[in-house]
């Protein structure tokens, strides 16, 4: 795995991200109580379909890549991606390839989860230097992003990746701890969409 090279279609990337952010923000604001459970299920389905696509050697279209970058702002979806990196090598490789594409095709403000997940992938593959650079990329976008700090802290203390992996909860434990989906799950995404659109209005 290598950190993605700069994408030369920056303006195209920005236009797609603005359009996707505008549409999703309007959708979330159109209802007094967005259907959080359905939104999360749809995001998880998109994630799983994308992984299957990359396992077949195919790639995402730009619009779906942007939407997946939005999905990963939701912690429940991001954490499933994290645990997926801990599964069989073929599935983890497919997810990593997808994340590299997201990093190339999505505007910077939405890249903290992507960079953090790429850091985990590199770390699990023994590429510590690459993992550190991915953490730095995530923190440059979102200095307070907790997953990036967690992975960075583990790297700084030379913690072997399997040791942290052994402490990760299962999906069932995550679901039990998080409880029933509620509006709070969407707040980080809604806040980021609002800030992004305000700066690109």
């Amino acid at each position: 795995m290598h950190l993605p090279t700069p994408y030369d279609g920056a303006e195209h990337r920005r236009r797609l991200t603005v359009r996707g952010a505008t549409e999703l923000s309007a959708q979330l604001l159109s209802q007094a109580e967005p259907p959080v459970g359905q939104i999360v299920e749809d995001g998880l389905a998109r994630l799983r379909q994308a992984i299957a696509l990359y396992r077949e050697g195919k790639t995402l279209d730009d619009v779906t890549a942007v939407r997946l970058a939005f999905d990963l702002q939701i912690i429940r979806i991001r954490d499933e991606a994290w645990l997926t990196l801990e599964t069989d090598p073929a599935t983890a490789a497919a997810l990593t390839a997808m994340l590299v594409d997201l990093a190339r095709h999505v505007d910077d403000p939405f890249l903290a989860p992507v960079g953090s997940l790429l850091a985990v992938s590199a770390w699990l593959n023994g590429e510590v230097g690459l993992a550190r650079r991915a953490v730095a990329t995530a923190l440059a976008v979102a200095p307070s992003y907790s997953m990036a700090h967690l992975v960075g802290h583990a790297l700084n203390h030379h913690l072997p990746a399997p040791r942290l992996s052994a402490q990760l909860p299962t999906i069932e434990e995550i679901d039990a701890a998080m409880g029933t989906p509620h509006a709070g799950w969407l707040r980080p995404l809604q806040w980021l969409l609002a800030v992004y659109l305000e700066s690109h209005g």
Side-chain angles (χ1 to χ4, degrees):
M1 188 189 78
H2 301 283
L3 285 178
T5 55
Y7 181 53
D8 59 7
E11 186 54 38
H12 173 68
R13 174 185 65 191
R14 192 166 295 112
R15 283 199 304 270
L16 281 177
T17 309
V18 168
R19 186 175 72 188
T22 301
E23 292 172 354
L24 180 56
S25 184
Q27 176 190 338
L28 295 175
L29 292 172
S30 66
Q31 305 173 62
E33 295 185 13
V36 181
Q38 188 60 55
I39 290 169
V40 172
E41 282 303 314
D42 289 348
L44 288 170
R46 243 186 316 273
L47 174 65
R48 294 162 187 160
Q49 289 162 7
I51 293 170
L53 194 70
Y54 278 82
R55 285 199 64 148
E56 296 172 1
K58 300 175 184 177
T59 59
L60 289 172
D61 63 273
D62 286 351
V63 173
T64 305
V66 168
R67 185 54 195 262
L68 269 168
F70 297 161
D71 292 332
L72 289 171
Q73 308 302 319
I74 301 172
I75 290 175
R76 173 62 181 81
I77 299 173
R78 182 209 66 190
D79 284 356
E80 178 144 332
W82 187 348
L83 292 180
T84 299
L85 289 171
E86 309 274 346
T87 59
D88 65 280
T91 301
L95 175 54
T96 299
M98 185 204 80
L99 291 166
V100 169
D101 276 354
L102 293 192
R104 288 192 179 117
H105 290 86
V106 178
D107 214 357
D108 289 353
F110 296 93
L111 290 182
V114 175
S116 299
L117 289 165
L118 282 172
V120 171
S121 178
W123 187 25
L124 289 169
N125 285 313
E127 300 175 270
V128 174
L130 186 58
R132 290 182 188 279
R133 293 197 296 277
V135 166
T137 297
L139 291 176
V141 172
S144 62
Y145 197 68
S146 60
M147 180 182 177
H149 280 288
L150 175 64
V151 177
H153 182 76
L155 289 168
N156 289 337
H157 286 79
H158 308 289
L159 185 68
R163 184 172 169 187
L164 181 60
S165 300
Q167 298 177 34
L168 292 176
T170 64
I171 287 295
E172 292 75 20
E173 289 169 339
I174 289 173
D175 285 337
M178 295 187 71
T180 304
H182 57 82
W185 289 22
L186 301 183
R187 287 196 189 110
L189 170 60
Q190 289 175 304
W191 177 84
L192 186 54
L193 290 171
V195 170
Y196 182 77
L197 290 174
E198 183 177 356
S199 66
H200 290 79

